[in-house]
């Protein structure tokens, strides 16, 4: 298998990242972040969640965010939709893609969306049917594909089972998500290969949280089996409110640096993403978790200190 020469990065910071902030992030800040990410060249940005505001209050302003962002033709703005109420909200807000999100672990399904895996599929069915009817792109996300905070080990067969069910619902893309970042490369390859036996490899994505520092290695391992879509979060923002101790997604800046260094194209301007990462870290008063972001910001600051003063 040769490595892909183009990779699609789905920027999930505005959703997966900001959903986990303790303090409420002002809508203006979310909008400014998404606009900066749009300008950086992403073709897909996960911008909002249409979930219960009692469960995830941080995402309650999704409709406002979607209404106020400046959209760019060629960029898809996605939204999480656990049920028909969420779907209706997302469509009214002009989402280009809706995301149904299930799990490969029963325990996590209960904690995250308050129902069993089978019940979740039943709730997703009308969402999927409505998305197809309205010509909206449909993505399926599978949490805990590499391990579960409540159940521990998750068999590959459980992941494959949900991949199959999401394929049957008509998903255009399916995410293999390592919610708590416990996966390691050989296991990741095993899961990706098994998923690819059920679903088109070029529409499978890797969504790796970096809790155990394995995410870049897991992306490289996935590239080796031909996966060419990855999720990442600017400045490494995030976690999951229903997975205690889970840290953010792999930082977008770090993924871009690795891919560009390998000669793999993304169409994204790394420097613009570093600036967006600096913006959001300062705006919410959080340390920037991107190694590449910190390195480049330090280098730029040193270069500007050394520059002769303009006269
Ligand atoms: P429930 O309590 O079982 O649902 O929650 P319900 O249908 O009984 O409704 C309860 C209340 O919520 C009602 O309001 C509904 O109207 C309201 P009340 O009558 O009490 O005032 N409600 C809604 N409000 C707004 N939008 C909606 C909606 N649905 C119901 N769509 C539910 C079930 C799924 C709604 C709930 O569990 C929920 O919202 N969970 C959110 C979970 C979540 O957002 N988790 C984080 C995102 S997933 C993630 O981060 C993982 C991922 O990144 C991949 C990975 O890393 O693993 C994707
Ligand atoms: Mg996630």
């Amino acid at each position: 298998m040769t490595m892909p020469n183009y990779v699609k990065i789905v920027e999930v910071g505005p959703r997966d990242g900001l959903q986990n902030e303790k303090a409420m992030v002002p809508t203006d800040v979310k909008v400014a972040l998404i606009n900066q990410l749009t300008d950086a060249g992403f073709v897909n940005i996960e911008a909002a969640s249409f979930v219960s505001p009692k469960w995830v209050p941080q995402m309650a302003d999704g409709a406002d965010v979607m209404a106020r962002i400046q959209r760019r033709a060629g960029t898809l703005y996605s939204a999480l939709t656990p049920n028909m109420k969420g779907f209706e909200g997302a469509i009214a807000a002009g989402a280009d893609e809706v995301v149904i999100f299930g799990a490969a672990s029963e325990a996590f399904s209960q904690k995250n969306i308050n129902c069993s895996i089978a019940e979740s599929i039943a709730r997703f069915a009308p969402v999927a049917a409505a998305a197809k009817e309205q010509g909206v792109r449909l993505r399926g996300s599978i949490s805990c594909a590499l391990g579960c905070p409540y159940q521990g080990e998750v068999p590959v067969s459980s992941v494959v089972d949900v991949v199959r069910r999401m394929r049957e619902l008509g998903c255009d893309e399916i995410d293999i998500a390592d919610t708590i970042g416990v996966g390691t490369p050989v296991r990741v390859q095993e899961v990706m290969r098994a998923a690819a036996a059920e679903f088109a490899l070029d529409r499978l994505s890797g969504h790796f949280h970096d809790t155990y520092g394995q995410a870049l290695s897991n992306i490289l391992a996935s590239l080796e089996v031909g996966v060419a879509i990855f999720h990442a979060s600017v400045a490494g923002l995030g976690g999951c409110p229903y997975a205690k101790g889970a840290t953010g997604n792999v930082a977008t800046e770090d993924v871009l640096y690795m891919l560009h260094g390998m000669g793999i194209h993304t169409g994204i301007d790394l420097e613009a993403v570093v600036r967006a990462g600096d913006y959001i870290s300062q705006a919410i008063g959080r340390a920037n978790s991107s190694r590449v972001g910190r390195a480049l910001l330090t280098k730029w600051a040193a270069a500007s200190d050394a520059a002769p003063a303009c006269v």
Side-chain angles (χ1 to χ4, degrees), residues 12 15-16 19 143 177-179 207 209 239-240 249:
V12 297
R15 195 283 303 170
D16 204 340
Q19 77 178 7
S143 287
D178 187 2
T179 315
H207 174 112
H209 285 260
C240 176
N249 296 86

Side-chain angles (χ1 to χ4, degrees), residues 8 43-46 72 74-78 96-97 137:
K8 177 172 97 171
V43 293
N44 196 168
I45 299 174
E46 209 166 84
R72 184 181 72 113
T75 299
L76 297 183
Y77 298 88
S78 312
D96 302 300
E97 179 183 67
R137 213 166 183 280

